[in-house]
Amino acid sequence: MKEFYQRTIHEVLDQLKTSLSGLSNEYVTTLQKEYGANVLLETRQKSKWAILGAQFTDVMIVILLVAVVISFVVGEHTDAFVILAIIAGNAGMGYYQEYNAEKSIRLLQKMSAQFAMVLRNDNPAKIEASALVPGDIIFLEAGDIVPADARLLKVHSFKTDEASLTGESHSVEKKTGALTEQNLVPGDQHNMIFKGTMVSNGSARAVVTSIGMNTELGKIAGLLEAESPRTPLQKRLAIFSKQLALIVILICVVIFGIGLWRGEPAFTMFLTALSMAVAALPEALPAVITIALAQGARRMVKQNALMRKLPAVETLGSVTYICTDKTGTLTQNIMTVEKIMAVSGKEELLKHAMILNNEVRFSENGLLGDSTETALVHHAIAKGHKKETSDLQFPLLAKLPFDSERMRMSTLHQHGDKWILFVKGAPVKMVEALSEKYVEQIPSWLDINREWAAEGLRILFFSYKILDHYPAEINSGLEKELDFLGITAMIDPPREEVIESIRQCKTAGIKTVMITGDQLLTATAIAERLGMIEPGHPGVRTGAELDELSEEAFNNEISHTSVYARVSPAQKLKIVKTLQSKGEFVAMTGDGVNDAPSLKQSDIGVAMGITGTDVSKEAADMILLDDNFATIVKAVREGRRIYENIRKFILYVLSCNLGEILTILIAPVLGFAVPLLPTQILWINLVTDGLPGLALVAEPAEKNIMNRPPRSPKENLFAGGLMGRILLTGIILAIAAILVQWWAVNQGYGIQTQQTMVFTTLCFVQLGNALSVRSVFQSLFSSDIFANKKMWGAITGTIILQLLIIYVPFLQSIFKTTGISWKAMALILIVTFGAVLLVEIIKYFNRRKK
């Protein structure tokens, strides 16, 4: 079955059961019942309660809720309320983010035209755009938003700006003739217009072919309904939480079993096992991660990257592919004259022609009109010409507008006591109208045209004709025996800073891919200039070529392709999904409506803050406030830094918790008293772990962070020997605590003093551990030990709080501590130093292995 763009006007009208005089009001009513309103359907929204409930489904949150119940059961109400406060804070932040994240469809509706001029019963009328039906005849003129997809019936110098829908960087000349090609993307359907695009020039009459969700804009709205994938950090934390839950259950079972084996009362051992579960949980982890992401988001804003979704802050550190739109992202989105060649002695006349031969309108907001024509005027003005001067020297008398058959535009001007005709147009059509005296020069000019076109430039030829008499009729018959004036070549140029950004992406092991709706030659030229591909690179494909590939061939081709041109929104989405299915983590950048579905599907969507549409911004995870691709590289660095610091915190907190567990487990086996009380355990978990933990997430990035390849998407949180370091460090911390308790027992100290000494020892060795984990491999003493001022603030604050707990009577009663002698404190400090030294020795041998 033929598409609408392949049918003649008569065939289209027949298929839609309409005529040039429009539909009857009675038939419109029938069609409205059949097709519904010309609106975009809203995505089904979650209720507020559903969003809130979803915040409590994470495994780590469930574990903490169990810990709350446990704390109430054992009578530790303070512990329970503290953990509840942590859960409530995380749930509140998550609820706020999700509630504000789903607005894309509503913004798409705002883009749609509100009113339309329609012909019904052969009478023109202004109606609400929502009342349009297939078969309606509509009228359009410059400045209108197209209200529905439609087939053009009649045009007059008609052009539309489809950049937001197709990625085309310049206005598209429209025509009415049927097209014979198969499987054309919307950007190549030059006899069709599309809902939500803008009329930039001329006027037209068209017949509506699709409305609402069946339009190209509606199809994009449908694609947006796909759920956003979880971030790498969310996936890794989900796995980590499940693993931690199993470990905690195992620890509880072991301790309960050992107690029963030693003849302890079953209920007492049950309470002890539950206390151990609380000790094993890193209660501060959700809060620390949330704060780490929030701090990262604040730092990114200072570098012009606004994060809309907190979990996505870290995602850029995992990215292996950046799929970027061309127009307005890699390029400036401003057509610019890049090359110009004038006939000798006619340079000034060419500048006058560039200013005068166009439909450009001057306004307070700048130049309005076709992007190609505004580029010509800008160039002439930049070279010192003024519109007023050109108008005085060559007053405009008449215009012969551009059309798709002649592919030329002419303007007639007064020229002293004579008249001059300025003509510009497509090279092939222009040489047909030149005087025969140029027959030998035409081949060389066409060679220049081919050479420049191969560079992705848009070429226009200019010519002129001096007339002795004012023509009796202004028509295309004047466009003959013309004198050649010159050649202009334009392009939407690449951003200079992007070249360095793409080079840095290569160094960081990230592949940059261009996905655009623009022409193949233009896309290839820009990619070569930016260093994305080498000249002659085979990895360049069009949307039409992709459609011809089988699923297997498509999957194979994706890995080798660096430039995609003339692709539809659905194809962009398929490319992103295919890369993700291969295990890649994909960032997608863009600024148009056509980018919104793939922005939402990608692991992290990056929208442009200045030129980006509201729809693309709402679908994205990150917005570049300066529209600068280079900002992405800074964000990648920040994402890697955040992930590394979260891993450092996990190393720190789990090794400390393991030290506590082993201490509690081993001390009774050796015949010692219970070394820690539940309140002391929670204090260590929340304060001794929490304050240095917050400082760890502010740790500066290590020097070689952007010289490493992206971490594998399948890599878990414990990759790189992290689990081994957690085990060894935990054992060292436990040995330190047991050694101090052994000394205290031999000195004849009471149980409360023993517990206070163990409590203080674990606090101090954990602070030393925090200093050690600041760098994964570098020595504590070789790195800049004072670089992280927040860490030293946290350590100082924690030491002061610990001393207050030991020596202030009011706090002694809460934490069940007692004052200890200077001799005991000296031993604790010596043991702390020895434990930190052992941790550093382990790190030294790990570094030697690398």
Side-chain angles (χ1 to χ4, degrees), residues 338-339 455-457 491-494 499 524-533:
E338 187 165 282
K339 294 186 178 183
E455 297 174 21
L457 299 172
I491 196 169
D492 178 11
I499 297 172
T524 305
I526 295 294
E528 289 177 359
R529 290 192 191 193
L530 291 172
M532 293 176 68
I533 59 173

Side-chain angles (χ1 to χ4, degrees), residues 414-448:
Q414 187 77 44
H415 181 34
D417 59 353
K418 297 188 177 188
W419 292 263
I420 186 168
L421 186 74
F422 288 126
V423 186
K424 77 169 185 286
V428 175
K429 293 291 185 179
M430 287 294 291
V431 296
E432 293 174 359
L434 290 178
S435 170
E436 291 184 0
K437 64 184 178 183
Y438 297 110
V439 67
E440 293 183 359
Q441 294 166 279
I442 286 174
S444 63
W445 293 334
L446 289 176
D447 285 342
I448 292 172

Side-chain angles (χ1 to χ4, degrees), residues 375-489:
L376 294 168
V377 176
H378 271 301
H379 182 80
I381 291 173
K383 294 300 180 182
H385 281 250
K386 293 183 178 179
K387 178 71 161 61
E388 297 81 3
T389 305
S390 294
D391 284 337
L392 284 172
Q393 191 170 344
F394 301 98
L396 177 66
L397 301 175
K399 282 184 183 180
L400 194 58
F402 185 96
D403 67 50
S404 55
E405 292 182 13
R406 291 167 33 250
M407 298 185 75
R408 294 188 289 264
M409 176 182 182
S410 296
T411 53
L412 184 64
H413 306 262
Q414 187 77 44
H415 181 34
D417 59 353
K418 297 188 177 188
W419 292 263
I420 186 168
L421 186 74
F422 288 126
V423 186
K424 77 169 185 286
V428 175
K429 293 291 185 179
M430 287 294 291
V431 296
E432 293 174 359
L434 290 178
S435 170
E436 291 184 0
K437 64 184 178 183
Y438 297 110
V439 67
E440 293 183 359
Q441 294 166 279
I442 286 174
S444 63
W445 293 334
L446 289 176
D447 285 342
I448 292 172
N449 170 51
R450 281 188 287 271
E451 180 185 332
W452 289 3
E455 297 174 21
L457 299 172
R458 191 176 189 194
I459 318 298
L460 288 176
F461 279 16
F462 279 80
S463 60
Y464 71 102
K465 183 178 185 179
I466 303 294
L467 302 170
D468 293 326
H469 304 284
Y470 188 85
E473 190 176 351
I474 308 297
N475 56 34
S476 59
L478 293 173
E479 297 172 346
K480 60 184 179 181
E481 295 298 315
L482 303 176
D483 287 312
F484 191 68
L485 191 52
I487 308 173
T488 60

Side-chain angles (χ1 to χ4, degrees), residues 55 58 60-61 64 85-97 233-234 237 282-299 307 309-314 642 645-646 649-650 690 693-694 697-698:
Q55 309 308 313
D58 182 80
M60 178 62 75
I61 298 299
L64 288 180
I86 293 171
I87 294 170
N90 280 279
M93 295 182 84
Y95 172 82
Y96 177 79
Q97 292 158 29
L233 184 61
Q234 288 171 325
L237 285 175
E283 287 90 347
L285 182 60
V288 166
I289 288 175
T290 301
I291 292 167
L293 297 174
Q295 287 179 350
R298 283 197 296 273
R299 287 192 296 267
M307 302 305 303
K309 301 170 185 177
L310 272 188
V313 171
E314 173 274 340
I642 289 168
N645 288 348
I646 288 173
F649 174 77
I650 288 172
L694 292 176
V697 296

